[in-house]
Amino acid sequence: ETGVTQTPRHLVMGMTNKKSLKCEQHLGHNAMYWYKQSAKKPLELMFVYNFKEQTENNSVPSRFSPECPNSSHLFLHLHTLQPEDSALYLCASSQGLVRVSEQYFGPGTRLTVT
Amino acid sequence: GEDVEQSLFLSVREGDSSVINCTYTDSSSTYLYWYKQEPGAGLQLLTYIFSNMDMKQDQRLTVLLNKKDKHLSLRIADTQTGDSAIYFCAEGSGTYKYIFGTGTRLKVLA
């Protein structure tokens, strides 16, 4: 248990559906991240938020829409996804962006787009 | 661009040592990390090494860094079935940005 929870753990959605992934951290951190982990590919950083402000959008398609209402919660809103978007989506949090500190990862949401 | 490469699979017998290798390209990396991912779980930081170090030991884990060849290895002594997981190498420059490898799936045979 890392202090970072993600729901749902598994999600199957059609290409026309709209769904949201949720991440919550109980560590008092101020930075939160979304990563995409596809099979046989390196982990890809998608979005970074620091004190609720987005500081990084790593050229992510607009069908992925993040939301960070406060430092403890992070959402990823999904709409009109493609089958190649099927992956494990990991959320992480850390204390600060600049100094090196370990990022605490949640267990991930396994997304399947049909 | 920067790249981190790892072999995809490694199989060892319980009790043997495992050595997982990684090569990276960014010579400006100041930190190199090893993460472990167990089935159904997120990434867990195992250890990291500063680029000015050659070796770091932490209980059963030994990290070796050859900066000249940009080669990093993770040795797990007395490998146990609980060590079966995917191991990711990552490099960073001290900020939140990391470059991860594709991961090495370690299978420990009883």
Side-chain angles (χ1 to χ4, degrees), chain B residues 51-68:
Chain B
S51 61
N52 61 358
M53 297 169 65
D54 298 323
M55 185 183 88
K56 181 178 180 181
Q57 188 153 5
D58 185 0
Q59 300 182 332
R60 292 190 299 122
L61 305 179
T62 303
V63 179
L64 293 177
L65 175 61
N66 181 329
K67 198 174 178 184
K68 174 175 168 289

Side-chain angles (χ1 to χ4, degrees), chain B residues 1 7-8 10 21 35 39 44 53-54 58 71 73 82 88 90 96 98-99:
Chain B
S7 54
L8 289 178
L10 176 66
N21 295 300
Y35 282 83
Q44 173 197 352
M53 297 169 65
D54 298 323
D58 185 0
H71 182 265
S73 67
F88 291 89
Y96 63 85
Y98 300 62
I99 299 173

Side-chain angles (χ1 to χ4, degrees), chain B residues 37-94:
Chain B
Q37 185 178 36
E38 297 183 21
L43 296 175
Q44 173 197 352
L45 179 69
L46 281 180
T47 186
Y48 66 90
I49 189 169
F50 294 101
S51 61
N52 61 358
M53 297 169 65
D54 298 323
M55 185 183 88
K56 181 178 180 181
Q57 188 153 5
D58 185 0
Q59 300 182 332
R60 292 190 299 122
L61 305 179
T62 303
V63 179
L64 293 177
L65 175 61
N66 181 329
K67 198 174 178 184
K68 174 175 168 289
D69 295 338
K70 299 191 186 70
H71 182 265
L72 183 74
S73 67
L74 174 69
R75 179 176 179 269
I76 306 173
D78 188 25
T79 312
Q80 303 298 306
T81 54
D83 295 323
S84 292
I86 302 175
Y87 290 80
F88 291 89
C89 166
E91 59 172 346
S93 57

Side-chain angles (χ1 to χ4, degrees), chain B residues 5-24:
Chain B
E5 293 190 355
Q6 300 177 239
S7 54
L8 289 178
F9 299 101
L10 176 66
S11 180
V12 299
R13 295 210 170 273
E14 191 174 18
D16 288 350
S17 292
S18 309
V19 179
I20 303 171
N21 295 300
C22 168
T23 57
Y24 61 97

Side-chain angles (χ1 to χ4, degrees), chain A residues 9 37 42 56 97-98 100 103 106, chain B residues 33 37 40 42 88 94 96 100:
Chain A
R9 295 294 308 277
Q37 185 180 17
E56 182 94 16
L97 288 180
V98 178
V100 174
Q103 293 184 11
Chain B
Y33 305 84
Q37 185 178 36
F88 291 89
Y96 63 85
F100 281 82

Side-chain angles (χ1 to χ4, degrees), chain A residues 11-51:
Chain A
L11 178 62
V12 180
M13 59 186 289
M15 289 190 286
T16 58
N17 290 159
K18 286 186 179 179
K19 295 285 184 184
S20 295
L21 310 185
K22 179 183 176 183
C23 175
E24 184 174 359
Q25 57 98 359
H26 310 273
L27 302 166
H29 289 163
N30 49 33
M32 296 187 79
Y33 313 76
W34 278 118
Y35 287 90
K36 177 183 179 182
Q37 185 180 17
S38 304
K40 298 180 184 177
K41 284 188 176 180
L43 195 68
E44 300 172 54
L45 178 65
M46 300 174 72
F47 300 104
V48 181
Y49 279 83
N50 189 34
F51 290 104

Side-chain angles (χ1 to χ4, degrees), chain A residues 15 36 38 41 63-64 81-87 89 113:
Chain A
M15 289 190 286
K36 177 183 179 182
S38 304
K41 284 188 176 180
R63 57 185 184 270
F64 295 90
L81 293 192
Q82 304 298 311
E84 60 264 28
D85 297 323
S86 298
Y89 288 85
V113 181

